[in-house]
Amino acid sequence: MKKIIYMLSALLALTSLCSCSTPVKEAQKTVYAMGTVMELRAYGKNADAALSAAEDEITRLDALLSRGFVNSEISEINKNGGGEVSADTKAILQKGIKVSDKTDGAFDMCIAPLVDLWGFYSKEYHVPASAEIAEILPKTDYNNLIFGGESVNLKNGAELDTGGIAKGYLSNRVIDIFKENGVDSAIISLGGNVQTLGKKADGSLWRVGIRDPEGGLLGTLEALDKAVITSGGYQRFFEEDGKTYHHIIDPQTGMPAESGLVSVTIISSDGAKADALSTAVFVLGKDKGVTLWKNEGDFDMVLMTDEGNIFITEGIKDTFQSDYDFSLITKE
Ligand code: ADP
Ligand code: MG
């Protein structure tokens, strides 16, 4: 009997030793799409297969959604003033329109003519005269987007730009593909937009850093099955006559949004929603953003104002860390 127990415990010791010493397989991939660098890291025995399936999906969605491809679905819809939509475009438009409705159109997928006028698409930057903006403004109103479920109709010369939501939709899809391929631990960063799946191999949570617009880190937070998506004027901009102009445009004024915020991070289990909300809250500013957060209640935020003050919502108070002082936004 003693011998059996001895053997059994030796066996247990051996198996536990095996599980400790066998490192969990890590696979990484870097993909360039949607005008940005995408870093994917997945863990587990199916990680390699999951990464190539994810890369295929990134390539497919880039070709479907990017205005840079003349034959993409979005380009065709823009050319024809409407048309039938695929399942992905349908899902993006549905989520985007919801955010437009909740933000009084601060999030506006009909922003394309303004993005083009400023040269953010062609990178031939240009500060438009107010008359040029006034001429374009009637086109850039999300009410010009008539969406009937399977098809879309664009009124008043409107054109779609899904740049404010596409990367978040894509990060949802990549995480879904990881799950379908049996991966339960992963972290991806699509041009700084991070989404996590499960925990790290050692059982601890992923810790995600948020960039300080001035350089370095604004702070970090733990994320379990969350998208952590940031919009900031520092991400894409040009300078003319000593003034900087960035790529997030206020659809009301046609000008780069100046809401008093320099960085907006949204934390949500839905990447597409987080992406659209980060753009929207950047346009809306802190007070309207906080009202939205109070009404919605299913996401968290990290905001930095142009005076360098940092605000976080109460849902992340136990995990957010920063070298700077920060204030808590509560429901009261
Ligand atoms: P990034 O794509 O740099 O991570 P955002 O998610 O904030 O940042 O998206 C900015 C992009 O969204 C712009 O490049 C443009 O294509 C588009 N965009 C600009 N202003 C708006 C807006 N008010 N609503 C929706 N999309 C916008
Ligand atoms: Mg966005």
Side-chain angles (χ1 to χ4, degrees), residues 278-308:
S278 71
T279 308
V281 172
F282 187 88
V283 172
L284 287 174
K286 176 173 166 278
D287 292 350
K288 287 182 181 165
V290 168
T291 307
L292 184 70
W293 171 76
K294 285 184 178 167
N295 291 339
E296 290 287 295
D298 62 349
F299 65 90
D300 276 288
M301 307 192 284
V302 178
L303 308 177
M304 188 184 220
T305 67
D306 49 16
E307 289 166 340

Side-chain angles (χ1 to χ4, degrees), residues 35-51:
T36 195
V37 177
M38 305 191 169
E39 310 265 8
L40 318 178
R41 247 159 75 197
Y43 295 79
K45 60 182 186 333
N46 295 328
D48 282 321
L51 283 183

Side-chain angles (χ1 to χ4, degrees), residues 13-329:
L14 197 70
T15 47
S16 61
L17 200 74
C18 285
S19 67
C20 294
S21 62
T22 311
V24 176
K25 186 179 157 43
E26 175 186 303
Q28 299 199 27
K29 201 179 254 301
T30 304
V31 183
Y32 186 81
M34 296 186 178
T36 195
V37 177
M38 305 191 169
E39 310 265 8
L40 318 178
R41 247 159 75 197
Y43 295 79
K45 60 182 186 333
N46 295 328
D48 282 321
L51 283 183
S52 24
E55 182 175 21
D56 289 349
E57 181 69 348
I58 291 173
T59 309
R60 186 183 73 82
L61 285 174
D62 193 13
L64 190 80
L65 300 170
S66 291
R67 291 204 287 135
F69 295 111
V70 283
N71 294 324
S72 71
E73 186 171 47
I74 296 297
S75 295
E76 291 287 344
I77 288 172
N78 286 344
K79 234 182 306 177
N80 301 324
E84 287 193 9
V85 291
S86 62
D88 296 288
T89 302
K90 179 176 168 177
I92 287 173
L93 294 183
Q94 275 171 338
K95 286 202 178 186
I97 289 170
K98 256 194 205 160
V99 174
S100 299
D101 283 337
K102 283 174 184 160
T103 61
D104 276 338
F107 183 76
D108 185 345
M109 291 176 292
C110 292
I111 204 80
L114 275 172
V115 173
D116 293 348
L117 179 65
W118 282 89
F120 283 111
Y121 210 80
S122 60
K123 299 201 170 63
E124 285 167 25
Y125 302 119
H126 157 74
V127 179
S130 44
E132 286 179 281
I133 292 178
E135 200 184 316
I136 295 278
L137 272 182
K139 297 184 183 185
T140 54
D141 174 346
Y142 87 101
N143 292 305
N144 288 334
L145 167 56
I146 313 295
F147 179 54
E150 307 306 321
S151 65
V152 64
N153 185 12
L154 297 172
K155 287 195 309 182
N156 298 325
E159 285 179 47
L160 294 177
D161 180 337
T162 56
I165 186 170
K167 282 195 295 244
Y169 179 78
L170 184 52
S171 63
N172 279 348
R173 286 293 306 135
V174 168
I175 295 292
D176 284 347
I177 284 173
F178 283 173
K179 287 190 206 158
E180 286 160 20
N181 280 273
V183 164
D184 53 16
S185 169
I187 185 161
I188 61 176
S189 168
L190 312 188
N193 290 343
V194 176
Q195 195 156 340
T196 68
L197 171 64
K199 295 180 182 176
K200 286 162 59 172
D202 66 5
S204 64
L205 294 178
W206 294 109
R207 182 162 280 281
V208 179
I210 302 172
R211 238 181 89 181
D212 180 345
E214 302 284 315
L217 276 181
L218 185 160
T220 65
L221 56 93
E222 285 178 332
L224 177 61
D225 296 326
K226 287 283 188 311
V228 180
I229 294 192
T230 301
S231 284
Y234 62 92
Q235 286 170 331
R236 208 178 322 152
F237 62 88
F238 68 95
E239 264 181 50
E240 198 174 294
D241 296 332
K243 207 175 152 20
T244 57
Y245 301 93
H246 60 71
H247 71 310
I248 303 175
I249 298 176
D250 183 341
Q252 298 256 334
T253 62
M255 298 289 292
E258 281 187 56
S259 67
L261 293 176
V262 289
S263 176
V264 173
T265 301
I266 304 287
I267 302 101
S268 162
S269 51
D270 180 347
K273 182 172 178 179
D275 196 357
L277 281 174
S278 71
T279 308
V281 172
F282 187 88
V283 172
L284 287 174
K286 176 173 166 278
D287 292 350
K288 287 182 181 165
V290 168
T291 307
L292 184 70
W293 171 76
K294 285 184 178 167
N295 291 339
E296 290 287 295
D298 62 349
F299 65 90
D300 276 288
M301 307 192 284
V302 178
L303 308 177
M304 188 184 220
T305 67
D306 49 16
E307 289 166 340
N309 296 320
I310 298 171
F311 296 86
I312 70 161
T313 53
E314 59 189 353
I316 50 169
K317 70 175 189 314
D318 295 332
T319 97
F320 182 78
Q321 289 175 358
S322 177
D323 290 341
Y324 302 115
D325 290 338
F326 55 89
S327 313
L328 203 58
I329 303 169

